[in-house]
Amino acid sequence: NSGASGADIPYHLTNFVEGIGLFCASIAPTYFPEHAHPEISVDVCYENTACLSTWQTAGGRQLTRLLGDGNVSIIGSGQPHGSEWLQEAEHLIFYLTPAFVERAARDLLRRGSVEIVENRSADDPLIRQLAGTLRSELRREHPPERLYVESLVNVLAVHLLRTYSAENKALQEPRHGLSRGKLERVAH
């Protein structure tokens, strides 16, 4: 673990609290080949971001999307993905172990098994606000307190479960018009 003060970047905290890892850094233009993490990752892009994000859907399709300022990228556990940073930009990544999210699911949903659905360019003001708060704390002279970080990440986990879990996504699907399968057949 390393600390930063003022505008010093990068800042990397792994296993800051059991089940939580954090990474905040300014990334120079670079290419990250396809890889996967055992954790669920939530990546928040800041000013000047231009990043080509590639990933495989659960069905095996390869997709690419350009991420910009303020985009939030949610990547499920074990999901293959890669990226190419086209210019220097700062970002903050939360890494949550499946066990951490499952504990939150047991408390919130009264069940431990849950799947977080990927979303590569979410417009999510709450996640941006949580990341911005943590980013400010990381720039202070002393590392943030454990309880503070754990509280922010617990709010994030509950938000992910309420907004991005497979169960809740199914409930949010429109109940009128063509089914998803019919829409896909028409679109292809």
Side-chain angles (χ1 to χ4, degrees):
N1 292 352
S2 62
S5 62
D8 293 342
I9 297 173
Y11 197 101
H12 186 73
L13 294 170
T14 55
N15 299 321
F16 187 74
V17 176
E18 185 179 338
I20 301 169
L22 303 170
F23 178 81
C24 185
S26 183
I27 302 293
T30 192
Y31 173 73
F32 294 98
E34 187 175 274
H35 60 285
H37 305 280
E39 304 89 0
I40 296 160
S41 64
V42 180
D43 190 345
V44 180
C45 300
Y46 289 103
E47 301 83 19
N48 302 317
T49 297
C51 174
L52 286 173
S53 178
T54 59
W55 71 97
Q56 287 184 27
T57 65
R61 277 186 36 200
Q62 185 80 16
L63 299 175
T64 301
R65 178 163 289 154
L66 179 64
L67 301 179
D69 300 356
N71 280 135
V72 175
S73 182
I74 300 163
I75 303 168
S77 172
Q79 174 120 31
H81 64 283
S83 60
E84 181 176 2
W85 291 82
L86 304 175
Q87 60 192 34
E88 186 169 345
E90 186 179 350
H91 71 135
L92 184 140
I93 306 174
F94 296 92
Y95 292 101
L96 309 177
T97 64
F100 182 86
V101 175
E102 288 167 5
R103 278 192 303 274
R106 278 194 301 277
D107 292 345
L108 181 68
L109 306 172
R110 304 292 181 237
R111 66 187 205 322
S113 177
V114 68
E115 176 190 357
I116 300 298
V117 177
E118 85 260 353
N119 188 323
R120 286 304 195 274
S121 61
D123 179 19
D124 195 312
L126 179 58
I127 292 177
R128 282 195 307 268
Q129 184 177 10
L130 291 169
T133 300
L134 186 55
R135 180 184 181 209
S136 294
E137 283 294 310
L138 293 172
R139 290 176 168 211
R140 294 179 55 175
E141 190 172 327
H142 301 288
E145 293 79 19
R146 178 177 184 241
L147 179 61
Y148 190 77
V149 172
E150 190 171 8
S151 297
L152 288 173
V153 177
N154 276 315
V155 170
L156 174 64
V158 168
H159 179 67
L160 290 173
L161 290 167
R162 287 183 173 167
T163 310
Y164 299 100
S165 70
E167 177 182 90
N168 286 341
K169 281 295 192 191
L171 293 175
Q172 294 171 8
E173 290 294 321
R175 302 213 184 271
H176 60 288
L178 296 174
S179 69
R180 175 176 281 168
K182 288 180 181 177
L183 281 172
E184 287 177 357
R185 284 193 293 273
V186 169
H188 296 289

